[in-house]
Amino acid sequence: MIILYNAPRSSASRRVRLCLEEKGLAYDNRIVDMGKLEHHSAAYLKINPNGVVPSMLHDGKPLHESGTICEYLDEICPDPPLRPADPYDRALMRNWIRHIDERIHNLIIFNWRHSFGEMASKWTDEELAAKLASIPSKERQESWLRVARRPYTEEERAEARGKLVVLLDRMEAAIAASCWLVGGAYSIADIAAVPFVKRIDEEIAPDEVTTAKHPHVADWWSRIQARPAFERANIGPFVDPS
Ligand SMILES: N[C@@H](CCC(=O)N[C@@H](CS)C(=O)NCC(=O)O)C(=O)O
């Protein structure tokens, strides 16, 4: 039995939902209320010591890190395959996941203000200190401190936006050569990129995922969104319509 602890708008959660839906695996969808900071609760930290979503329980065994979870799912349920058969291509797939995890994911933290800005700005200093104390990583303590007290400046946001667009440049070259990111077939590398392309396309730099700017990425994005699993994985809007 699979239990997925996740949040609807979390990029890392979206990856795992996509993977589960591609595989047609049934799962118990447990929503973690990030607005209430449930992911920093003592009970949740027992499942995921990093205090982030998603986490998965498979037959009672906990697993965290969305890229790791997707690879695990592909191992326990190999059909349809979501990893290239060729070892070299499989290594390239892992490098895409690593690149996005290490260089791209932290760039969208400047947009936490949409989800958490109003709430966090109302915390008293004592409340903020108590909340920071329950966050396991220094890096994420800093992220919450920023959203509560020092919102990202327009210059910082512009810098992050620029770096996100570089992801599209890298993807453009890969997709031009192979149709998908790696090895000529849809894989966990593509799944890893989906939530970030969604964010770029929807709110960060919509004119970049276009035939004019990144034609191969734009075509890839249409093909991704046409997949039945995309619909089922609930990759909805990140920002509420105003
Ligand atoms: N590398 C982790 C990243 C997980 C992560 O950062 N999750 C975000 C949501 S996409 C989160 O829980 N943020 C809330 C926080 O850090 O307090 C993964 O891929 O699972």
Side-chain angles (χ1 to χ4, degrees):
M1 178 187 180
I2 294 175
I3 301 175
L4 182 67
Y5 295 91
N6 73 118
R9 294 180 181 185
S10 139
S11 298
S13 301
R14 289 176 167 196
R15 285 173 167 184
V16 177
R17 294 202 301 271
L18 269 172
C19 192
L20 286 162
E21 296 296 348
E22 287 287 346
K23 300 275 176 197
L25 284 167
Y27 62 101
D28 182 349
N29 189 14
R30 303 260 178 104
I31 304 296
V32 177
D33 190 337
M34 294 172 74
K36 292 188 180 147
L37 304 185
E38 282 177 1
H39 55 303
H40 299 151
S41 67
Y44 185 78
L45 291 175
K46 283 191 188 139
I47 301 169
N48 185 335
N50 296 335
V52 291
V53 289
S55 309
M56 188 176 84
L57 285 182
H58 181 218
D59 294 338
K61 291 178 292 188
L63 202 53
H64 59 273
E65 279 302 322
S66 59
T68 306
I69 295 173
C70 289
E71 283 213 52
Y72 176 76
L73 290 172
D74 199 52
E75 297 217 30
I76 61 169
C77 177
D79 196 31
L82 289 176
R83 290 175 300 166
D86 178 70
Y88 180 73
D89 285 339
R90 211 171 260 212
L92 293 182
M93 176 200 78
R94 294 201 177 102
N95 273 355
W96 272 106
I97 301 168
R98 176 175 287 200
H99 175 76
I100 294 169
D101 283 348
E102 291 178 359
R103 301 278 177 86
I104 303 298
H105 196 153
N106 63 351
L107 295 174
I108 58 169
I109 284 177
F110 74 92
N111 262 6
W112 276 18
R113 70 190 199 287
H114 292 304
S115 310
F116 309 127
E118 201 185 329
M119 167 189 84
S121 66
K122 290 181 186 147
W123 293 336
T124 64
D125 287 348
E126 291 70 32
E127 285 170 335
L128 176 61
K131 290 177 197 302
L132 295 182
S134 67
I135 301 175
S137 89
K138 287 258 173 284
E139 188 197 0
R140 291 305 169 90
Q141 286 175 6
E142 172 68 11
S143 306
W144 280 98
L145 182 63
R146 296 265 348 224
V147 80
R149 293 290 184 268
R150 284 189 291 120
Y152 284 82
T153 62
E154 190 40 54
E155 289 72 33
E156 286 175 311
R157 298 218 298 269
E159 191 185 337
R161 241 180 255 126
K163 289 181 184 164
L164 281 163
V165 171
V166 173
L167 169 69
L168 300 183
D169 298 339
R170 283 179 77 134
M171 290 179 64
E172 182 69 16
I175 298 165
S178 143
C179 189
W180 299 98
L181 284 182
V182 175
Y186 182 72
S187 76
I188 298 169
D190 301 286
I191 287 177
V194 163
F196 301 96
V197 174
K198 165 79 180 159
R199 302 282 304 268
I200 296 170
D201 184 47
E202 180 189 315
E203 25 117 17
I204 294 172
D207 62 326
E208 293 289 341
V209 189
T210 55
T211 310
K213 296 273 185 72
H214 294 96
H216 292 95
V217 175
D219 178 63
W220 172 93
W221 186 223
S222 304
R223 285 183 280 128
I224 295 270
Q225 291 178 92
R227 295 178 79 84
F230 184 89
E231 176 77 28
R232 293 195 300 267
N234 182 25
I235 316 285
F238 183 79
V239 180
D240 288 325
S242 49

